[in-house]
Amino acid sequence: MSELREAPAERGPLFEVVGATLKREIASGRFAGADVLPGERELSEILRVSRTTLRRAIAGLVEQGVLFHRHGAGTFVRRNPPHVEQPLSRLTSFTEDMRSRGFAASSREIERGVFLPTPEEAMMLGVSPRDSVFRLARLRLADGVPMAMERAAVPARFIGDPARVGESLYVALDAEGWLPVRALQRLRAVVLGAADAALLDVAEGSAALDIHRIAYLADGRCVEYTRSFYRSDTYDFVAELTLSPDARRRGAGPPR
Ligand code: 16G
């Protein structure tokens, strides 16, 4: 470890040089054994930089998905992007899905507020163009890796105080007594444009799943319209198919 040094040719702010050095060392398999980075003090001594610089460098690598923090356990090297198999028959939230798989769910907020609906939102939610909607656009991450870009719209009357919507939209809806019980979802393949590709940390033109979800309350009112782009390299949507009761009877063979 003692030869871990910045390359003299590298220029830029010190924390970026340190980040690039760490990234190169990781790529060369430096931490392959344990996958956990040495402690902050040890690493800052090895690299001969302040802990503040080191922290900024590490934060940058967490943002890029190279490293991730595990609460109370340290900073780890990510070897493979999380891969998720998602059943298409259960109505669950992103936070719930990721937690159940042992990934730490987080979000980077792009937009939040109460606005007049776009024509698309008004149509999908069945609200008047004069009714307000609460809009929340977020990049969703699992263990620090971008997984999906979601733009959710909820009729404002279902959100008491927009500022109180925390990590999970469904937890907030549940707290107000408006948790959806049913949803319709449409999936199609798309090619990502530059802006969404940059957010999802994939090359422009990569394939993604474009998902529209309309979620309903028990009384049939629409509570959510969300348009999402899911990275196709991290998500498999799995549907269970069953034979119709008629066909099942036919397949059971002649009655004895
Ligand atoms: C899921 C839903 C999304 C919903 C979000 C709530 C899909 C394709 N989308 O990502 O419609 O808004 O969960 O997650 O499954 P949250 O409660 O963690 O904010």
PDB file of all heavy atoms in Angstrom, residues 204-241:
ATOM      1  N   GLU A 204     -24.780   7.491 -23.738  1.00  0.00           N
ATOM      2  CA  GLU A 204     -25.922   7.983 -24.505  1.00  0.00           C
ATOM      3  C   GLU A 204     -26.271   6.940 -25.568  1.00  0.00           C
ATOM      4  O   GLU A 204     -25.380   6.343 -26.168  1.00  0.00           O
ATOM      5  CB  GLU A 204     -25.546   9.316 -25.176  1.00  0.00           C
ATOM      6  CG  GLU A 204     -26.691   9.931 -25.914  1.00  0.00           C
ATOM      7  CD  GLU A 204     -26.311  11.241 -26.607  1.00  0.00           C
ATOM      8  OE1 GLU A 204     -25.245  11.804 -26.285  1.00  0.00           O
ATOM      9  OE2 GLU A 204     -27.085  11.680 -27.464  1.00  0.00           O
ATOM     10  N   GLY A 205     -27.570   6.679 -25.752  1.00  0.00           N
ATOM     11  CA  GLY A 205     -27.972   5.679 -26.733  1.00  0.00           C
ATOM     12  C   GLY A 205     -28.124   4.286 -26.131  1.00  0.00           C
ATOM     13  O   GLY A 205     -28.500   3.355 -26.826  1.00  0.00           O
ATOM     14  N   SER A 206     -27.837   4.140 -24.802  1.00  0.00           N
ATOM     15  CA  SER A 206     -28.038   2.831 -24.163  1.00  0.00           C
ATOM     16  C   SER A 206     -29.526   2.518 -24.107  1.00  0.00           C
ATOM     17  O   SER A 206     -30.363   3.419 -24.050  1.00  0.00           O
ATOM     18  CB  SER A 206     -27.530   2.843 -22.712  1.00  0.00           C
ATOM     19  OG  SER A 206     -26.163   3.098 -22.680  1.00  0.00           O
ATOM     20  N   ALA A 207     -29.836   1.226 -24.058  1.00  0.00           N
ATOM     21  CA  ALA A 207     -31.237   0.813 -23.964  1.00  0.00           C
ATOM     22  C   ALA A 207     -31.738   0.983 -22.530  1.00  0.00           C
ATOM     23  O   ALA A 207     -30.957   0.862 -21.577  1.00  0.00           O
ATOM     24  CB  ALA A 207     -31.368  -0.643 -24.375  1.00  0.00           C
ATOM     25  N   ALA A 208     -33.007   1.305 -22.399  1.00  0.00           N
ATOM     26  CA  ALA A 208     -33.614   1.414 -21.066  1.00  0.00           C
ATOM     27  C   ALA A 208     -35.065   0.980 -21.175  1.00  0.00           C
ATOM     28  O   ALA A 208     -35.601   0.836 -22.274  1.00  0.00           O
ATOM     29  CB  ALA A 208     -33.531   2.845 -20.566  1.00  0.00           C
ATOM     30  N   LEU A 209     -35.687   0.766 -20.020  1.00  0.00           N
ATOM     31  CA  LEU A 209     -37.121   0.472 -20.006  1.00  0.00           C
ATOM     32  C   LEU A 209     -37.855   1.746 -19.621  1.00  0.00           C
ATOM     33  O   LEU A 209     -37.528   2.374 -18.604  1.00  0.00           O
ATOM     34  CB  LEU A 209     -37.416  -0.626 -18.985  1.00  0.00           C
ATOM     35  CG  LEU A 209     -36.976  -2.007 -19.427  1.00  0.00           C
ATOM     36  CD1 LEU A 209     -36.937  -2.957 -18.237  1.00  0.00           C
ATOM     37  CD2 LEU A 209     -37.923  -2.543 -20.494  1.00  0.00           C
ATOM     38  N   ASP A 210     -38.791   2.109 -20.454  1.00  0.00           N
ATOM     39  CA  ASP A 210     -39.604   3.300 -20.208  1.00  0.00           C
ATOM     40  C   ASP A 210     -40.903   2.776 -19.586  1.00  0.00           C
ATOM     41  O   ASP A 210     -41.652   2.048 -20.233  1.00  0.00           O
ATOM     42  CB  ASP A 210     -39.861   3.960 -21.571  1.00  0.00           C
ATOM     43  CG  ASP A 210     -40.779   5.162 -21.469  1.00  0.00           C
ATOM     44  OD1 ASP A 210     -41.070   5.605 -20.353  1.00  0.00           O
ATOM     45  OD2 ASP A 210     -41.211   5.650 -22.534  1.00  0.00           O
ATOM     46  N   ILE A 211     -41.119   3.108 -18.313  1.00  0.00           N
ATOM     47  CA  ILE A 211     -42.268   2.530 -17.589  1.00  0.00           C
ATOM     48  C   ILE A 211     -43.238   3.624 -17.177  1.00  0.00           C
ATOM     49  O   ILE A 211     -42.836   4.635 -16.590  1.00  0.00           O
ATOM     50  CB  ILE A 211     -41.779   1.762 -16.337  1.00  0.00           C
ATOM     51  CG1 ILE A 211     -40.721   0.730 -16.747  1.00  0.00           C
ATOM     52  CG2 ILE A 211     -42.949   1.090 -15.627  1.00  0.00           C
ATOM     53  CD1 ILE A 211     -40.199  -0.099 -15.607  1.00  0.00           C
ATOM     54  N   HIS A 212     -44.507   3.423 -17.482  1.00  0.00           N
ATOM     55  CA  HIS A 212     -45.548   4.341 -17.010  1.00  0.00           C
ATOM     56  C   HIS A 212     -46.355   3.575 -15.965  1.00  0.00           C
ATOM     57  O   HIS A 212     -46.811   2.467 -16.248  1.00  0.00           O
ATOM     58  CB  HIS A 212     -46.511   4.714 -18.139  1.00  0.00           C
ATOM     59  CG  HIS A 212     -45.856   5.460 -19.260  1.00  0.00           C
ATOM     60  ND1 HIS A 212     -46.333   6.660 -19.722  1.00  0.00           N
ATOM     61  CD2 HIS A 212     -44.773   5.188 -20.010  1.00  0.00           C
ATOM     62  CE1 HIS A 212     -45.568   7.079 -20.720  1.00  0.00           C
ATOM     63  NE2 HIS A 212     -44.612   6.199 -20.910  1.00  0.00           N
ATOM     64  N   ARG A 213     -46.513   4.149 -14.789  1.00  0.00           N
ATOM     65  CA  ARG A 213     -47.356   3.500 -13.781  1.00  0.00           C
ATOM     66  C   ARG A 213     -48.485   4.445 -13.406  1.00  0.00           C
ATOM     67  O   ARG A 213     -48.245   5.604 -13.072  1.00  0.00           O
ATOM     68  CB  ARG A 213     -46.547   3.158 -12.521  1.00  0.00           C
ATOM     69  CG  ARG A 213     -47.420   2.538 -11.435  1.00  0.00           C
ATOM     70  CD  ARG A 213     -46.651   2.280 -10.131  1.00  0.00           C
ATOM     71  NE  ARG A 213     -45.809   1.100 -10.217  1.00  0.00           N
ATOM     72  CZ  ARG A 213     -45.279   0.492  -9.152  1.00  0.00           C
ATOM     73  NH1 ARG A 213     -45.527   0.943  -7.932  1.00  0.00           N
ATOM     74  NH2 ARG A 213     -44.494  -0.554  -9.304  1.00  0.00           N
ATOM     75  N   ILE A 214     -49.702   3.946 -13.462  1.00  0.00           N
ATOM     76  CA  ILE A 214     -50.841   4.700 -12.924  1.00  0.00           C
ATOM     77  C   ILE A 214     -51.349   3.882 -11.755  1.00  0.00           C
ATOM     78  O   ILE A 214     -51.704   2.702 -11.913  1.00  0.00           O
ATOM     79  CB  ILE A 214     -51.973   4.876 -13.955  1.00  0.00           C
ATOM     80  CG1 ILE A 214     -51.414   5.539 -15.214  1.00  0.00           C
ATOM     81  CG2 ILE A 214     -53.088   5.735 -13.387  1.00  0.00           C
ATOM     82  CD1 ILE A 214     -52.456   5.767 -16.277  1.00  0.00           C
ATOM     83  N   ALA A 215     -51.363   4.497 -10.569  1.00  0.00           N
ATOM     84  CA  ALA A 215     -51.761   3.756  -9.372  1.00  0.00           C
ATOM     85  C   ALA A 215     -53.082   4.304  -8.836  1.00  0.00           C
ATOM     86  O   ALA A 215     -53.350   5.508  -8.915  1.00  0.00           O
ATOM     87  CB  ALA A 215     -50.663   3.854  -8.314  1.00  0.00           C
ATOM     88  N   TYR A 216     -53.884   3.392  -8.298  1.00  0.00           N
ATOM     89  CA  TYR A 216     -55.251   3.724  -7.879  1.00  0.00           C
ATOM     90  C   TYR A 216     -55.488   3.440  -6.402  1.00  0.00           C
ATOM     91  O   TYR A 216     -54.901   2.519  -5.829  1.00  0.00           O
ATOM     92  CB  TYR A 216     -56.260   2.888  -8.671  1.00  0.00           C
ATOM     93  CG  TYR A 216     -56.174   3.085 -10.160  1.00  0.00           C
ATOM     94  CD1 TYR A 216     -55.318   2.293 -10.926  1.00  0.00           C
ATOM     95  CD2 TYR A 216     -56.939   4.054 -10.799  1.00  0.00           C
ATOM     96  CE1 TYR A 216     -55.231   2.462 -12.304  1.00  0.00           C
ATOM     97  CE2 TYR A 216     -56.869   4.228 -12.184  1.00  0.00           C
ATOM     98  CZ  TYR A 216     -56.005   3.429 -12.920  1.00  0.00           C
ATOM     99  OH  TYR A 216     -55.918   3.601 -14.272  1.00  0.00           O
ATOM    100  N   LEU A 217     -56.408   4.215  -5.839  1.00  0.00           N
ATOM    101  CA  LEU A 217     -56.895   3.944  -4.484  1.00  0.00           C
ATOM    102  C   LEU A 217     -57.995   2.890  -4.582  1.00  0.00           C
ATOM    103  O   LEU A 217     -58.493   2.604  -5.675  1.00  0.00           O
ATOM    104  CB  LEU A 217     -57.486   5.222  -3.873  1.00  0.00           C
ATOM    105  CG  LEU A 217     -56.504   6.379  -3.703  1.00  0.00           C
ATOM    106  CD1 LEU A 217     -57.244   7.650  -3.281  1.00  0.00           C
ATOM    107  CD2 LEU A 217     -55.439   6.013  -2.663  1.00  0.00           C
ATOM    108  N   ALA A 218     -58.410   2.366  -3.422  1.00  0.00           N
ATOM    109  CA  ALA A 218     -59.444   1.324  -3.424  1.00  0.00           C
ATOM    110  C   ALA A 218     -60.735   1.823  -4.071  1.00  0.00           C
ATOM    111  O   ALA A 218     -61.461   1.059  -4.699  1.00  0.00           O
ATOM    112  CB  ALA A 218     -59.691   0.856  -1.996  1.00  0.00           C
ATOM    113  N   ASP A 219     -61.026   3.141  -3.948  1.00  0.00           N
ATOM    114  CA  ASP A 219     -62.274   3.652  -4.520  1.00  0.00           C
ATOM    115  C   ASP A 219     -62.134   3.997  -6.010  1.00  0.00           C
ATOM    116  O   ASP A 219     -63.043   4.581  -6.603  1.00  0.00           O
ATOM    117  CB  ASP A 219     -62.765   4.871  -3.726  1.00  0.00           C
ATOM    118  CG  ASP A 219     -61.798   6.053  -3.797  1.00  0.00           C
ATOM    119  OD1 ASP A 219     -60.837   6.006  -4.602  1.00  0.00           O
ATOM    120  OD2 ASP A 219     -61.996   7.029  -3.053  1.00  0.00           O
ATOM    121  N   GLY A 220     -61.007   3.671  -6.607  1.00  0.00           N
ATOM    122  CA  GLY A 220     -60.845   3.840  -8.056  1.00  0.00           C
ATOM    123  C   GLY A 220     -60.199   5.164  -8.458  1.00  0.00           C
ATOM    124  O   GLY A 220     -59.884   5.361  -9.630  1.00  0.00           O
ATOM    125  N   ARG A 221     -59.996   6.088  -7.492  1.00  0.00           N
ATOM    126  CA  ARG A 221     -59.355   7.357  -7.876  1.00  0.00           C
ATOM    127  C   ARG A 221     -57.873   7.143  -8.160  1.00  0.00           C
ATOM    128  O   ARG A 221     -57.224   6.325  -7.506  1.00  0.00           O
ATOM    129  CB  ARG A 221     -59.525   8.398  -6.754  1.00  0.00           C
ATOM    130  CG  ARG A 221     -60.898   9.036  -6.750  1.00  0.00           C
ATOM    131  CD  ARG A 221     -61.015  10.060  -5.662  1.00  0.00           C
ATOM    132  NE  ARG A 221     -60.895   9.459  -4.325  1.00  0.00           N
ATOM    133  CZ  ARG A 221     -60.788  10.165  -3.208  1.00  0.00           C
ATOM    134  NH1 ARG A 221     -60.779  11.489  -3.253  1.00  0.00           N
ATOM    135  NH2 ARG A 221     -60.690   9.560  -2.037  1.00  0.00           N
ATOM    136  N   CYS A 222     -57.343   7.936  -9.102  1.00  0.00           N
ATOM    137  CA  CYS A 222     -55.915   7.855  -9.430  1.00  0.00           C
ATOM    138  C   CYS A 222     -55.112   8.622  -8.393  1.00  0.00           C
ATOM    139  O   CYS A 222     -55.413   9.795  -8.140  1.00  0.00           O
ATOM    140  CB  CYS A 222     -55.682   8.588 -10.734  1.00  0.00           C
ATOM    141  SG  CYS A 222     -55.605   7.542 -12.089  1.00  0.00           S
ATOM    142  N   VAL A 223     -54.104   7.991  -7.842  1.00  0.00           N
ATOM    143  CA  VAL A 223     -53.303   8.685  -6.826  1.00  0.00           C
ATOM    144  C   VAL A 223     -51.893   8.993  -7.322  1.00  0.00           C
ATOM    145  O   VAL A 223     -51.214   9.872  -6.777  1.00  0.00           O
ATOM    146  CB  VAL A 223     -53.307   7.887  -5.495  1.00  0.00           C
ATOM    147  CG1 VAL A 223     -52.579   6.565  -5.656  1.00  0.00           C
ATOM    148  CG2 VAL A 223     -52.733   8.674  -4.355  1.00  0.00           C
ATOM    149  N   GLU A 224     -51.450   8.289  -8.372  1.00  0.00           N
ATOM    150  CA  GLU A 224     -50.065   8.493  -8.818  1.00  0.00           C
ATOM    151  C   GLU A 224     -49.941   8.227 -10.312  1.00  0.00           C
ATOM    152  O   GLU A 224     -50.511   7.270 -10.825  1.00  0.00           O
ATOM    153  CB  GLU A 224     -49.140   7.504  -8.072  1.00  0.00           C
ATOM    154  CG  GLU A 224     -47.718   7.509  -8.571  1.00  0.00           C
ATOM    155  CD  GLU A 224     -46.936   6.220  -8.250  1.00  0.00           C
ATOM    156  OE1 GLU A 224     -47.520   5.248  -7.751  1.00  0.00           O
ATOM    157  OE2 GLU A 224     -45.732   6.210  -8.533  1.00  0.00           O
ATOM    158  N   TYR A 225     -49.188   9.100 -10.978  1.00  0.00           N
ATOM    159  CA  TYR A 225     -48.754   8.792 -12.343  1.00  0.00           C
ATOM    160  C   TYR A 225     -47.244   8.977 -12.358  1.00  0.00           C
ATOM    161  O   TYR A 225     -46.748  10.070 -12.073  1.00  0.00           O
ATOM    162  CB  TYR A 225     -49.432   9.728 -13.356  1.00  0.00           C
ATOM    163  CG  TYR A 225     -48.802   9.628 -14.729  1.00  0.00           C
ATOM    164  CD1 TYR A 225     -48.737   8.399 -15.389  1.00  0.00           C
ATOM    165  CD2 TYR A 225     -48.244  10.743 -15.346  1.00  0.00           C
ATOM    166  CE1 TYR A 225     -48.130   8.301 -16.633  1.00  0.00           C
ATOM    167  CE2 TYR A 225     -47.653  10.651 -16.601  1.00  0.00           C
ATOM    168  CZ  TYR A 225     -47.600   9.417 -17.233  1.00  0.00           C
ATOM    169  OH  TYR A 225     -46.990   9.309 -18.452  1.00  0.00           O
ATOM    170  N   THR A 226     -46.540   7.908 -12.628  1.00  0.00           N
ATOM    171  CA  THR A 226     -45.072   7.995 -12.631  1.00  0.00           C
ATOM    172  C   THR A 226     -44.517   7.481 -13.951  1.00  0.00           C
ATOM    173  O   THR A 226     -44.896   6.413 -14.424  1.00  0.00           O
ATOM    174  CB  THR A 226     -44.467   7.199 -11.458  1.00  0.00           C
ATOM    175  OG1 THR A 226     -44.907   7.794 -10.244  1.00  0.00           O
ATOM    176  CG2 THR A 226     -42.945   7.245 -11.474  1.00  0.00           C
ATOM    177  N   ARG A 227     -43.630   8.268 -14.505  1.00  0.00           N
ATOM    178  CA  ARG A 227     -42.929   7.870 -15.729  1.00  0.00           C
ATOM    179  C   ARG A 227     -41.477   7.627 -15.331  1.00  0.00           C
ATOM    180  O   ARG A 227     -40.838   8.496 -14.730  1.00  0.00           O
ATOM    181  CB  ARG A 227     -43.057   9.032 -16.715  1.00  0.00           C
ATOM    182  CG  ARG A 227     -42.272   8.877 -17.964  1.00  0.00           C
ATOM    183  CD  ARG A 227     -43.182   8.632 -19.148  1.00  0.00           C
ATOM    184  NE  ARG A 227     -42.387   8.177 -20.277  1.00  0.00           N
ATOM    185  CZ  ARG A 227     -42.149   8.905 -21.352  1.00  0.00           C
ATOM    186  NH1 ARG A 227     -42.650  10.125 -21.442  1.00  0.00           N
ATOM    187  NH2 ARG A 227     -41.423   8.419 -22.338  1.00  0.00           N
ATOM    188  N   SER A 228     -40.967   6.448 -15.634  1.00  0.00           N
ATOM    189  CA  SER A 228     -39.599   6.106 -15.209  1.00  0.00           C
ATOM    190  C   SER A 228     -38.770   5.551 -16.352  1.00  0.00           C
ATOM    191  O   SER A 228     -39.296   4.920 -17.259  1.00  0.00           O
ATOM    192  CB  SER A 228     -39.622   5.009 -14.131  1.00  0.00           C
ATOM    193  OG  SER A 228     -40.643   5.201 -13.217  1.00  0.00           O
ATOM    194  N   PHE A 229     -37.475   5.773 -16.237  1.00  0.00           N
ATOM    195  CA  PHE A 229     -36.529   5.083 -17.115  1.00  0.00           C
ATOM    196  C   PHE A 229     -35.674   4.175 -16.233  1.00  0.00           C
ATOM    197  O   PHE A 229     -34.982   4.667 -15.347  1.00  0.00           O
ATOM    198  CB  PHE A 229     -35.624   6.069 -17.849  1.00  0.00           C
ATOM    199  CG  PHE A 229     -36.353   6.889 -18.878  1.00  0.00           C
ATOM    200  CD1 PHE A 229     -36.472   8.255 -18.744  1.00  0.00           C
ATOM    201  CD2 PHE A 229     -36.932   6.272 -19.975  1.00  0.00           C
ATOM    202  CE1 PHE A 229     -37.151   9.008 -19.684  1.00  0.00           C
ATOM    203  CE2 PHE A 229     -37.621   7.013 -20.934  1.00  0.00           C
ATOM    204  CZ  PHE A 229     -37.736   8.386 -20.780  1.00  0.00           C
ATOM    205  N   TYR A 230     -35.767   2.875 -16.475  1.00  0.00           N
ATOM    206  CA  TYR A 230     -34.971   1.923 -15.706  1.00  0.00           C
ATOM    207  C   TYR A 230     -33.799   1.450 -16.557  1.00  0.00           C
ATOM    208  O   TYR A 230     -33.992   1.114 -17.733  1.00  0.00           O
ATOM    209  CB  TYR A 230     -35.826   0.710 -15.295  1.00  0.00           C
ATOM    210  CG  TYR A 230     -36.580   0.944 -14.019  1.00  0.00           C
ATOM    211  CD1 TYR A 230     -37.601   1.884 -13.949  1.00  0.00           C
ATOM    212  CD2 TYR A 230     -36.247   0.241 -12.864  1.00  0.00           C
ATOM    213  CE1 TYR A 230     -38.280   2.124 -12.773  1.00  0.00           C
ATOM    214  CE2 TYR A 230     -36.927   0.471 -11.674  1.00  0.00           C
ATOM    215  CZ  TYR A 230     -37.934   1.415 -11.641  1.00  0.00           C
ATOM    216  OH  TYR A 230     -38.602   1.646 -10.467  1.00  0.00           O
ATOM    217  N   ARG A 231     -32.620   1.412 -15.971  1.00  0.00           N
ATOM    218  CA  ARG A 231     -31.443   0.905 -16.693  1.00  0.00           C
ATOM    219  C   ARG A 231     -31.668  -0.550 -17.070  1.00  0.00           C
ATOM    220  O   ARG A 231     -32.037  -1.357 -16.221  1.00  0.00           O
ATOM    221  CB  ARG A 231     -30.218   0.998 -15.781  1.00  0.00           C
ATOM    222  CG  ARG A 231     -29.433   2.261 -15.977  1.00  0.00           C
ATOM    223  CD  ARG A 231     -28.352   2.372 -14.967  1.00  0.00           C
ATOM    224  NE  ARG A 231     -27.314   1.355 -15.127  1.00  0.00           N
ATOM    225  CZ  ARG A 231     -26.125   1.439 -14.566  1.00  0.00           C
ATOM    226  NH1 ARG A 231     -25.812   2.498 -13.832  1.00  0.00           N
ATOM    227  NH2 ARG A 231     -25.225   0.502 -14.725  1.00  0.00           N
ATOM    228  N   SER A 232     -31.406  -0.885 -18.325  1.00  0.00           N
ATOM    229  CA  SER A 232     -31.705  -2.252 -18.745  1.00  0.00           C
ATOM    230  C   SER A 232     -30.623  -3.237 -18.298  1.00  0.00           C
ATOM    231  O   SER A 232     -30.852  -4.436 -18.301  1.00  0.00           O
ATOM    232  CB  SER A 232     -31.882  -2.319 -20.257  1.00  0.00           C
ATOM    233  OG  SER A 232     -30.686  -1.901 -20.862  1.00  0.00           O
ATOM    234  N   ASP A 233     -29.446  -2.725 -17.892  1.00  0.00           N
ATOM    235  CA  ASP A 233     -28.397  -3.664 -17.468  1.00  0.00           C
ATOM    236  C   ASP A 233     -28.523  -4.039 -15.997  1.00  0.00           C
ATOM    237  O   ASP A 233     -27.805  -4.911 -15.525  1.00  0.00           O
ATOM    238  CB  ASP A 233     -27.005  -3.085 -17.741  1.00  0.00           C
ATOM    239  CG  ASP A 233     -26.773  -1.753 -17.034  1.00  0.00           C
ATOM    240  OD1 ASP A 233     -27.770  -1.052 -16.724  1.00  0.00           O
ATOM    241  OD2 ASP A 233     -25.611  -1.406 -16.786  1.00  0.00           O
ATOM    242  N   THR A 234     -29.412  -3.395 -15.262  1.00  0.00           N
ATOM    243  CA  THR A 234     -29.519  -3.714 -13.837  1.00  0.00           C
ATOM    244  C   THR A 234     -30.886  -4.293 -13.467  1.00  0.00           C
ATOM    245  O   THR A 234     -31.065  -4.766 -12.365  1.00  0.00           O
ATOM    246  CB  THR A 234     -29.289  -2.464 -12.963  1.00  0.00           C
ATOM    247  OG1 THR A 234     -30.239  -1.488 -13.354  1.00  0.00           O
ATOM    248  CG2 THR A 234     -27.899  -1.898 -13.102  1.00  0.00           C
ATOM    249  N   TYR A 235     -31.834  -4.238 -14.391  1.00  0.00           N
ATOM    250  CA  TYR A 235     -33.193  -4.678 -14.082  1.00  0.00           C
ATOM    251  C   TYR A 235     -33.682  -5.768 -15.010  1.00  0.00           C
ATOM    252  O   TYR A 235     -33.556  -5.651 -16.226  1.00  0.00           O
ATOM    253  CB  TYR A 235     -34.183  -3.509 -14.228  1.00  0.00           C
ATOM    254  CG  TYR A 235     -34.556  -2.929 -12.905  1.00  0.00           C
ATOM    255  CD1 TYR A 235     -33.826  -1.901 -12.352  1.00  0.00           C
ATOM    256  CD2 TYR A 235     -35.634  -3.442 -12.199  1.00  0.00           C
ATOM    257  CE1 TYR A 235     -34.156  -1.377 -11.126  1.00  0.00           C
ATOM    258  CE2 TYR A 235     -35.976  -2.925 -10.969  1.00  0.00           C
ATOM    259  CZ  TYR A 235     -35.229  -1.897 -10.443  1.00  0.00           C
ATOM    260  OH  TYR A 235     -35.555  -1.382  -9.228  1.00  0.00           O
ATOM    261  N   ASP A 236     -34.242  -6.838 -14.458  1.00  0.00           N
ATOM    262  CA  ASP A 236     -35.015  -7.810 -15.234  1.00  0.00           C
ATOM    263  C   ASP A 236     -36.407  -7.799 -14.634  1.00  0.00           C
ATOM    264  O   ASP A 236     -36.554  -7.971 -13.416  1.00  0.00           O
ATOM    265  CB  ASP A 236     -34.468  -9.241 -15.031  1.00  0.00           C
ATOM    266  CG  ASP A 236     -33.178  -9.463 -15.782  1.00  0.00           C
ATOM    267  OD1 ASP A 236     -32.757  -8.541 -16.502  1.00  0.00           O
ATOM    268  OD2 ASP A 236     -32.608 -10.566 -15.634  1.00  0.00           O
ATOM    269  N   PHE A 237     -37.409  -7.558 -15.422  1.00  0.00           N
ATOM    270  CA  PHE A 237     -38.780  -7.656 -14.921  1.00  0.00           C
ATOM    271  C   PHE A 237     -39.285  -9.054 -15.237  1.00  0.00           C
ATOM    272  O   PHE A 237     -39.153  -9.525 -16.365  1.00  0.00           O
ATOM    273  CB  PHE A 237     -39.670  -6.579 -15.542  1.00  0.00           C
ATOM    274  CG  PHE A 237     -39.407  -5.225 -14.947  1.00  0.00           C
ATOM    275  CD1 PHE A 237     -38.483  -4.366 -15.499  1.00  0.00           C
ATOM    276  CD2 PHE A 237     -40.076  -4.833 -13.794  1.00  0.00           C
ATOM    277  CE1 PHE A 237     -38.222  -3.129 -14.935  1.00  0.00           C
ATOM    278  CE2 PHE A 237     -39.819  -3.596 -13.222  1.00  0.00           C
ATOM    279  CZ  PHE A 237     -38.896  -2.744 -13.788  1.00  0.00           C
ATOM    280  N   VAL A 238     -39.813  -9.718 -14.234  1.00  0.00           N
ATOM    281  CA  VAL A 238     -40.209 -11.111 -14.385  1.00  0.00           C
ATOM    282  C   VAL A 238     -41.721 -11.230 -14.192  1.00  0.00           C
ATOM    283  O   VAL A 238     -42.258 -10.767 -13.186  1.00  0.00           O
ATOM    284  CB  VAL A 238     -39.494 -11.989 -13.323  1.00  0.00           C
ATOM    285  CG1 VAL A 238     -39.857 -13.448 -13.494  1.00  0.00           C
ATOM    286  CG2 VAL A 238     -37.985 -11.811 -13.430  1.00  0.00           C
ATOM    287  N   ALA A 239     -42.395 -11.823 -15.156  1.00  0.00           N
ATOM    288  CA  ALA A 239     -43.845 -12.003 -15.039  1.00  0.00           C
ATOM    289  C   ALA A 239     -44.165 -13.481 -14.886  1.00  0.00           C
ATOM    290  O   ALA A 239     -43.543 -14.327 -15.542  1.00  0.00           O
ATOM    291  CB  ALA A 239     -44.535 -11.454 -16.280  1.00  0.00           C
ATOM    292  N   GLU A 240     -45.112 -13.777 -14.009  1.00  0.00           N
ATOM    293  CA  GLU A 240     -45.546 -15.168 -13.861  1.00  0.00           C
ATOM    294  C   GLU A 240     -46.759 -15.385 -14.763  1.00  0.00           C
ATOM    295  O   GLU A 240     -47.694 -14.585 -14.757  1.00  0.00           O
ATOM    296  CB  GLU A 240     -45.933 -15.438 -12.399  1.00  0.00           C
ATOM    297  CG  GLU A 240     -46.224 -16.892 -12.168  1.00  0.00           C
ATOM    298  CD  GLU A 240     -46.746 -17.178 -10.766  1.00  0.00           C
ATOM    299  OE1 GLU A 240     -47.252 -16.239 -10.113  1.00  0.00           O
ATOM    300  OE2 GLU A 240     -46.660 -18.323 -10.350  1.00  0.00           O
ATOM    301  N   LEU A 241     -46.725 -16.443 -15.550  1.00  0.00           N
ATOM    302  CA  LEU A 241     -47.825 -16.704 -16.479  1.00  0.00           C
ATOM    303  C   LEU A 241     -48.554 -17.966 -16.031  1.00  0.00           C
ATOM    304  O   LEU A 241     -47.911 -18.971 -15.741  1.00  0.00           O
ATOM    305  CB  LEU A 241     -47.276 -16.903 -17.904  1.00  0.00           C
ATOM    306  CG  LEU A 241     -46.289 -15.837 -18.386  1.00  0.00           C
ATOM    307  CD1 LEU A 241     -45.716 -16.203 -19.740  1.00  0.00           C
ATOM    308  CD2 LEU A 241     -46.972 -14.473 -18.471  1.00  0.00           C
TER     309      LEU A 241
END
